[in-house]
Each structure stands twice: as C-alpha cells, then as structure tokens.
Amino acid sequence: MNRGSIFSVFMTFLKLGLTSFGGPIAHLGYFRKECVVRQGWVNDSQFSQLLAICQFLPGPASSQLGFALGLIRAGWLGAIVAFIAFTLPSVLLLLGFATILPLLSNVAGEAIIHGLKLVACVVVADAVLDMANKLCPDLRRKMIAVFAVVSLMLLNWIGAQLIVVFAGAIAGLLFCRDGAMTSESIVHVSYGRFMGLFLFSIFLVLFLLLTVFSQSTILGHIAAVFYQVGSMVFGGGHIVLPLLETGVVNTGWVTEADFLAGYGASQAIPGPMFAFSAYLGAIIPTAYSPWLVSFIALLFIFLPGFLLISAILPWWQRLCHYPNIHYGVQGINAAVVGLLVAALFDPIFISGVQTKVDFAIVVMGFTLLRLLKCSPLYVVLLCVTLSLGITHIMELV
C-alpha cells in the first residue's frame, strides 16, 4: 500500500474533526466512509481488525482508531498529525463553548443538540449496513452478530462490550473455521516487536512514576489523574464520565455544576468526547496558565491509549499469520457489527428519535448519505436546520 503524505492525513482528519458529530460509535462510520470507502487507506478487513483491537484496549476507541489509521498511512508523524487534526477543533470549540452558550437560548441550544443526535442515527445506520454486508456474509456470522445484539440489550452494565467482543472471538474459533488471512488483509506497521515492547514499557513506567510522584506538584497530580483515567476506561465516550468525576470533582478541583455544564457542551461538538479533558484542565484553579493545564490534561488522558495501540500492532501483525487468529477475528468482526446495531438502537436511536417528524428527518438524512452519496456535512446541515426550524414553529404555535 502506498504511503500517503502528512498533509493529506492532516486534511482528512481535520475534515473528520470538524464534521464527526454523534460520539465515538458514530465516529466509526465517519472513519470507514472516509478512510476505507473514499480513500482506500485500508481495506474492510484491516479496518475491522483495528476496530477490534481498540475495543479490547483501554482508552478512547475512536481516537485510537484514528491514531492507528494515521500511523499506517504515514508513519509516526502521520499518527500524531491525525490526532492533532481530529482533536483540535473539538478542543477549541469546547473551550469557546462556555462563551457562546449564554448567547443561545436554552431552546435553541437544545434544538441544535437534538439535531446532532439525528445526524448520529443516520451515520451509524449507514455504517451498520456497510459493515454487516462486508463482515457478516454468511449465516454463522450473522448469528454471532444477533447474539451480540441480544447480549448487549440484556447486559446493561460497564464492561459488557468487552465481554461480547471476547465471546465473539471464541465463537469465531468454534464456528468460523474457513479461509485464511491474506497478506493484503493483515495490518502492517513499519516497526517491529521490540519497539512494541519498548512502547509498552513506557506505558507501565509512566503509570508507576505518575502514581508514586503525583503529589509532588499540582501539575504532576493533574497528569497522574488524567493518565490513570485514560489507562482504566474501556469503551471510551460516556464511560469516562464517572472516572473523571471522581478525579476532578471529588478532589475539589472542579464544582459539580461546572463539570456537568462542560460535559453537556461536549455532546454538541464534533470530534472525540475525551476532549472534555481540555475543558476540565482549563478550569482547574492553579498558578499556571489555563492553556498549559488544559494541554497536560488532554495529553495525559490520550497518551495511555496511544501507547497501547502502538505497542500491540507489531505483535498483532505477527499473530495474524496463525489460522486460529483469523478465525477469531471473523467472530470479533461479527460481534462488532452487533455492537454497532445495539448502539444504534440504544442510546442513539432512543435518545434521538422522539417523534414521527424526527424519524422523517432521519430518513431524509439517510437518503442523502446512502442513496445520493452526499457528504456527511450536508446531513449535519439538514438535520440541525430542520430541528431548529421545527422547534421555532412549535414555539410560535
């Protein structure tokens, strides 16, 4: 596969950072549409492998996936550029949101957020259909996906996603014992397993050092809190909320009201939800510049996940030569499709589609994206504009 330029990686992820509304599950749809379908950086098999690995590791899954895609496309600098371009818009928007929010009425603000929820419905539905066609081509894998959906509906607790993905791997080993992974479908990186071990060692050393010396300075304490959160949260997104609340509210750094206000604002912006850490860093009272504290919080919450995904990729490249890994990956792929279907229903569809009009807007957005092949940006404009317009009409009535 030809390596891409740093500039192309930056522009691709900048566009994604500006338009990827809907949270981490929706981001997977945006990433696949751009990096697999439109630009062909990786194929569907490689994309699903990266997605499965990110589901198993702690950290922000969608940002880890973007980091890995940048790494594969343009090396280490590509990975860093992908992270910066995808994250920077959401960080700047979130830091400025507190200034803009008072200018909006509560009704208008809620209408915008509601419109973005409808966008997420469209994007995830499109991704589910595409990935189901590619990753569940036979009855066995369709049944694994159905089992994943049912399990996630019944197991409504943190960690259920990880268990379902693991169960998918076991089911793949038992029932999907056909074919072999070709060299074109294996994820390739430009460094070896020794570098992988070195990166994993850095992850462990930082965890230990920050834990031991966290109380020496306020900046060290902040770095330790956010690094520990990034090291322990599986699934990303909304799951990070209780861990961050423990780290910054219970310590007295941030009031609960300010915490919830920032978290609410993070629902209305594109890009990674972990950018919420930049907002928290900026309002933690210290003698240092809020920009510096914001940067430290942002860096240390993302760093563990990036070190782990970088450490495992060369080992994964080696393991993929074993047939059993291929069988397990087929089961994982099917389970991931089930995970997306479950997330499409709850919380995306349930929280977004509340009326027949909402459903009609989703259908129109899906027609734009799926049938007319329009950019997701047009779906964002359609859903938000209609949501604002209908809300205004209801106020007049």
Side-chain angles (χ1 to χ4, degrees), residues 230-243:
S231 301
M232 293 186 293
V233 59
F234 286 88
H238 300 279
I239 300 172
V240 76
L241 178 63
L243 292 174

Side-chain angles (χ1 to χ4, degrees), residues 140-161:
R140 290 168 295 176
R141 279 174 276 188
K142 285 182 173 68
M143 292 304 296
I144 293 173
V146 170
F147 173 80
V149 173
V150 173
S151 299
L152 288 167
M153 294 296 185
L154 297 176
L155 300 175
N156 188 23
W157 48 276
I158 294 175
Q161 291 184 0

Side-chain angles (χ1 to χ4, degrees), residues 58 86 205:
F86 183 59
V205 169

Side-chain angles (χ1 to χ4, degrees), residues 169-228:
I170 301 300
L173 285 171
L174 295 174
F175 305 115
C176 301
R177 303 186 67 83
D178 59 334
M181 192 172 291
T182 63
S183 60
E184 291 80 13
S185 62
I186 296 175
V187 174
H188 294 280
V189 290
S190 59
Y191 56 96
R193 286 170 284 167
F194 178 79
M195 175 62 76
L197 286 175
F198 177 69
L199 293 169
F200 184 69
S201 300
I202 293 177
F203 164 77
L204 290 178
V205 169
L206 281 174
F207 189 91
L208 293 173
L209 287 177
L210 288 170
T211 301
V212 172
F213 297 105
S214 64
Q215 302 298 328
S216 58
T217 65
I218 182 62
L219 292 182
H221 194 181
I222 292 169
V225 166
F226 283 90
Y227 192 87
Q228 288 166 359

